[in-house]
Structure formats: C-alpha cells, structure tokens
Amino acid sequence: MDNLNSINIPTSEPARQQYFMDRCHEFIEDFINKNGKAPTFYVSTFGCQMNARDSEKLTGILERIGYQEADKEDNADFVIFNTCTVRENANQKLYGHLGSLKKRKESGKLMLIGICGCMMQQPEIVDHIREKYSFVDIVFGTFNFYKLAELLYSRLSGSVKQVIEVLNAPEINVENLPERKKYNFKSGVNIMYGCNNFCTYCIVPYVRGRERSRTPEDIFEEVQKLAGEGYVEIMLLGQNVNSYGVNFLEDSDIIKNNPDYSFPDLLEDICKIDGIKRVRFMTSHPKDLSDKLIDVIARNPKIAKHLHLPVQSGSTKVLKAMNRRYTKEDYLALVDRIKAKLPDISLTTDIMVGFPGETEEDLQDTIDVVRKVGYDQAFTFIYSVRTGTPAAKMEQLPAEVVNERFSRLLEVVREVSAEASARFEGQTKEVLVENVNDHMEGYVTGRMDNNILVHFPGDNSLIGTFVNVKLDKAHGFYYTGTMVE
Ligand code: 5AD
Ligand code: SF4
C-alpha cells in the first residue's frame, strides 16, 4: 500500500475498514465516470448458515463501497466465492467455477475475483490457487473476512496482482460492519464462533477455530436492533449452541452475576425482546442437549418446535470412532425425553455413511435409529476424507460398498421422512410467509415453526407476516394449503 499516508489510517476496527471502504469508493467513482454506471458484484455462497451470515456482511461492505449487486454471477464485474470445505465435492465445485471464469476474466469482461471462507484456511489450497489460478485477485480466510475493503484497496491501488491474507486463528472479533440481509423480516444471529468438539472426520475446528461465545449483552443489542427494524424471526447460530458460554470473548456483567448462565437462559431472554415472535437455533450436539433446554422449549411458545440433532451414525462403535461422545442408546433416550415433553416436535438430522470401519451391521444400526426417531428430514452424506483430520489416517472403505449403502439409507430416509412430515395433514398451522412462489403462479411460500414449508394461494403483501394456513396435502418435504382467518 505504497501510496497511503499511514498517519490517516485508523488503527481500531471497524473504523479502519470504514476508512478503506471510503478509499475503495474513489475507484468506483472513476468507474462511473468512465462507464456511466456502477460496477456490479455477485457473492456466491457455499456451505452452511455461518457462511451465509458472513456473506451478508461481505455484501454490506461491497454496497457501502458503491458496488451494485448483479442478478447472477455471469453478469458481475466482481465475483466473490465464499467457500466451504466440509466435503471434498465442495472443493471441486470451486475449481469448476474458477475454470469457467478464467475466459471471462481474460476477455476483460470480468474485472475481479475474490475467494474467501473455510477452504482458504488450508495452506495447501492457497498454494494451489497461487500456482494454478494466478488470475484470482484476492484471497482471504474465515478470520479476516471483515477486511474485504482493506484487501480490495490494496489490490486496486497497488502493483500486486494477487493479494493473499489468511490468518491461522482469530486476532480480534469485529462486529458492527455494514451488512445486507436476504430477508427483512428474519435474520441469523451468531451467538458463538468455532467448535471444540473435534469429531474425527470434521475439518470445522481447524478452519473455524476454537469455540468463542459472544456475550449475552452483545447478542441482546443486536437482536434489539433487528426487532426495532421490524425483524420478527431470529435464528441463533453456532456450530454447537448447547455449549454456549463455555468460552466468552469479552467480559460480561450478566455472566459475572450468574456464572451458570447457559444457552437455555439466553434463549428465554431473547424471547423477551419486544417484537421478536419466533426464535430458532442450530446446531445442537446431542451430547450437550440438556433437560433444561427441553423444558424451556416446551414452556415458551416463541421457540420454534424444531430440533436439528445430527446423529451421524446409529452405531455405538462408529460413534466412538467418530469421537461423538454418545452411544446409540444415549441418543434414543434423549429423543424419548424430547418427545415426552414436546410431542409435536420436528426432528431433523445429519447422517454420514462410509466412515472408516463401518460394517453392514453398523449401517443397520443407523437405519434402526432413522426408523425409531422418525425424522421429518435427514441430510445424508457420504463420508469424505479431510486431510489433517484423525479419520483421514484410518483405513478407508471401498467406494462401491459405500455408494450401495448410501442408496439403501436414502431410500429408508425418504420413506420415513415422507411419513413423518405428513402427520400434520388437515391441521391448521401458523406460518411466516417468506416469498412469492416462483414455480406456482399466484402462490406464496411460508414456513411453519417446525421448519416445514407450505405453498398456498396469496400475494407479496403477505411476505414477512404470520398467517394461519390449513395444510391440505403433504408432498414429502412440503405441504400445499389454504389460508384461513
Ligand atoms: N464427510 C462427510 N460429511 C461430513 N460432515 C462433516 N464432515 C464430513 C465429512 N468429512 C457432515 C456432518 C455434519 C454436516 C454439516 O456435514 O454430517 O453434521
Ligand atoms: Fe464438526 Fe463435530 Fe464440531 Fe459439528 S460438532 S462442527 S461435526 S467437529
């Protein structure tokens, strides 16, 4: 950054980033003078809710700089990929996209490419991008995504063609950045970052770092602000919300006065905020889900009756090798306790097939759990080797065996979830209307508190409101219905 007068640059965040947003804006003004319009951007997000939340901040920063959002990647002057690396096919997707963007970049139609997110936290991948994809302009990771404007400025103002900055661990936590949300009535709110569980297959603790909880004060302030802006539904986000409060980022008076303050307390306090009508959360690690949490969900009508409770495998032996720290019996007993107090609850899960050492008997245990729990929805994955995780060093199963098991599991999951999610047919449920349905003319789509979607006749004036809908017909993962008074 040779042409910067360092005396003027704020040293504290987020003021420093605001400064760089303003400096980047000067380039946008030049562009507008030459082209008669603002340059456009497109943020392509892979992976989980955490990345989706980070992308809202990237979008906010780009709009503050003066970029306008393009309707699709093909039309954008600046494309950013916020990557996922939880499975190998997520990596392949990125390389596929980059390959197809190279020609557009060479022809001068596409000006800038940025890559960030979990995949960039792996040094060998960054080396690969440096060597094979030198046309990528900016590379950054999960711990410094808030620096987008600073890195962009350094690319635009300097002579370096590729700006790379990836940190190994979080240095500071920067909140209060500009952001632009997808919806103006529901929002995710991070309550914690990172994960300490080190499941032996999982790369998340390595690319998102150790667990850090935000203070209740910080979270309340954010939710109060959202409520003031008219948001009605909040989704509390963390890799394992049930260990909220184990490691705090900063001092908190609430915690000083009540050292046992934990996730159920936070949930109840969030529900007390005026204007918030529905509260969701994810994800719950089964080993940490307390009876106190079940009681809080049962007694508080604002809390969505839905639990995403990843089981991963139904075999106690496999669960042990995965370092999940519960047995098949523990999991089933937990589900029984949940259903006893919350008979209408929707349970969803993640399941993995083909973990090293898995036998046919282990698969049968998984199928048994699927049938006993009766999940409304189950996300099924083929185990994918992640370099650097303990399971990568274990003996791997042949792909054909795993693929065949996966197909069988999928069949059971489809049958069970179609049956389970149809159990509300004929009932009337309150839904939050999310959007106009693109495929069914004259219909809108709403979400019940158990996370299941309903399509019903309506128009865009309903978006963001709660309405009662009679569930006329179940279609597997969704219903069609009619609005009632
Ligand atoms: N291979 C396949 N699936 C994985 N998941 C996490 N790591 C892997 C892996 N190495 C799945 C888990 C997790 C979900 C988000 O992704 O099921 O719950
Ligand atoms: Fe990965 Fe396990 Fe942490 Fe979930 S709990 S993010 S599966 S290490």
Side-chain angles (χ1 to χ4, degrees), residues 31-62:
F31 184 96
I32 295 175
N33 288 338
K34 282 192 200 117
N35 299 281
K37 61 178 176 76
T40 57
F41 75 94
Y42 191 84
V43 179
S44 202
T45 309
F46 301 90
C48 69
Q49 301 278 348
M50 292 287 167
N51 269 14
R53 185 78 192 99
D54 291 351
S55 286
E56 292 179 346
K57 296 176 187 173
L58 297 174
T59 301
I61 293 170
L62 290 169

Side-chain angles (χ1 to χ4, degrees), residues 53 175-176 179 181 185-191 214-237 266-280 302:
R53 185 78 192 99
E175 304 285 351
N176 298 320
E179 53 181 272
K181 294 180 196 294
F185 52 89
K186 67 168 191 172
S187 173
V189 171
N190 296 110
I191 64 164
R214 289 176 71 195
T215 61
E217 287 91 333
D218 249 13
I219 298 167
F220 299 155
E221 194 186 315
E222 182 172 340
V223 177
Q224 268 152 0
K225 186 163 165 276
L226 289 167
E229 291 166 8
Y231 285 81
V232 289
E233 182 178 298
I234 297 296
M235 161 93 94
L236 303 176
L237 297 172
L266 180 79
L267 205 48
E268 285 211 296
D269 286 343
I270 297 278
C271 290
K272 289 180 197 145
I273 295 176
D274 275 348
I276 299 303
K277 301 202 170 106
R278 192 190 262 175
V279 183
R280 306 182 174 284
K302 284 191 184 179

Side-chain angles (χ1 to χ4, degrees), residues 458-475:
D459 60 38
N460 61 4
S461 67
L462 296 172
I463 293 174
T465 64
F466 285 94
V467 294
N468 289 322
V469 177
K470 178 156 181 286
L471 307 174
D472 297 324
K473 190 162 172 33
H475 306 264

Side-chain angles (χ1 to χ4, degrees), residues 278 429-433 446-448 454 456 465-467 469:
R278 192 190 262 175
K429 292 266 185 195
E430 190 178 53
V431 309
L432 175 56
V433 184
R447 202 179 284 273
M448 299 189 244
V454 197
F456 60 98
T465 64
F466 285 94
V467 294
V469 177

Side-chain angles (χ1 to χ4, degrees), residues 6-115:
S6 57
I7 297 166
N8 293 330
I9 307 174
T11 49
S12 66
E13 303 290 3
R16 183 179 170 89
Q17 294 314 311
Q18 186 56 58
Y19 169 88
F20 283 109
M21 287 177 230
D22 293 342
R23 297 303 304 263
C24 286
H25 184 70
E26 294 162 13
F27 288 91
I28 304 292
E29 281 178 345
D30 277 355
F31 184 96
I32 295 175
N33 288 338
K34 282 192 200 117
N35 299 281
K37 61 178 176 76
T40 57
F41 75 94
Y42 191 84
V43 179
S44 202
T45 309
F46 301 90
C48 69
Q49 301 278 348
M50 292 287 167
N51 269 14
R53 185 78 192 99
D54 291 351
S55 286
E56 292 179 346
K57 296 176 187 173
L58 297 174
T59 301
I61 293 170
L62 290 169
E63 288 187 335
R64 178 68 63 83
I65 290 173
Y67 282 94
Q68 274 178 7
E69 190 166 30
D71 56 345
K72 54 182 180 178
E73 196 182 298
D74 290 349
N75 296 341
D77 299 308
F78 184 7
V79 176
I80 296 189
F81 295 102
N82 191 359
T83 61
C84 170
T85 189
V86 79
R87 285 170 288 277
E88 184 57 29
N89 54 9
N91 290 24
Q92 295 315 324
K93 257 194 221 162
L94 174 74
Y95 293 132
H97 271 271
L98 286 179
S100 63
L101 283 185
K102 189 172 181 208
K103 276 208 189 76
R104 256 188 77 214
K105 181 101 196 278
E106 283 167 351
S107 73
K109 285 192 190 113
L110 169 66
M111 292 181 308
L112 289 167
I113 301 176
I115 321 182

Side-chain angles (χ1 to χ4, degrees), residues 48 85-88 200-204 239 283 308 310-312 324 349-353 379-386 389:
C48 69
T85 189
V86 79
R87 285 170 288 277
E88 184 57 29
T200 54
Y201 52 80
C202 186
I203 200 152
V204 169
Q239 301 292 351
T283 292
H308 185 62
V311 66
Q312 311 299 357
R324 292 290 290 176
T349 201
D350 296 339
I351 308 173
M352 214 181 299
V353 174
F379 301 93
T380 46
F381 307 106
I382 287 181
Y383 164 73
S384 166
V385 178
R386 306 321 289 135
T389 61

